[in-house]
Amino acid sequence: KINSWIDSWIFYISYKTTDGVVSRPEPNWEAFTPKGSLINQNTYDGKTLLLDFWNTTCVICIKKFPILDSLHNSFRNDTNIVILSVNIPHELDTAGMALHIVNEKKYAFPLVIGTTKLNESFGFNSYPMVYIIRNDIIIYFGDIEKSAQILKK
């Protein structure tokens, strides 16, 4: 209980919310598919978008991939919801490293590659970080574990 309270307090100090529920404009952003196609904030207009930010040095991020994959599989037939895994490459990454990590375990969720400018646009400083965007508004950011209930709303 104490760690949960401390984590909530640290989250509040950093992000001014304890539950991740917010209402703020989606920033301009862009990322690339593994094949090099550009996507941005306009690519998924009209959809609810979940972005799961991670990097290859974040062990916790990778340990949460089964949750992300399960969430993706749960909503895969819902044409109004898009779930993307967003890798922010680390300076020590080799080309294709993120795709290799995702493909090695045969995860079904789509991967896109961002830049450090992307996480600066969203304003977070730790991984993993999930954002849910609906109608150009960020409605949630925080843990993947709380995302399913937000997506169902």
Side-chain angles (χ1 to χ4, degrees), residues 84-135:
L84 298 175
S85 169
V86 184
N87 174 255
I88 305 297
H90 187 270
E91 62 189 24
L92 299 176
D93 285 1
T94 57
M97 190 171 183
L99 185 60
H100 174 75
I101 289 169
V102 171
N103 287 344
E104 184 177 48
K105 297 287 187 178
K106 300 188 182 343
Y107 293 120
F109 54 76
L111 170 70
V112 297
I113 310 298
T115 64
T116 53
K117 186 176 179 182
L118 183 58
N119 66 330
E120 290 167 7
S121 296
F122 278 88
F124 67 92
N125 56 15
S126 62
Y127 297 100
M129 184 61 73
V130 170
Y131 282 81
I132 298 177
I133 302 163
R134 185 176 290 142
N135 299 322

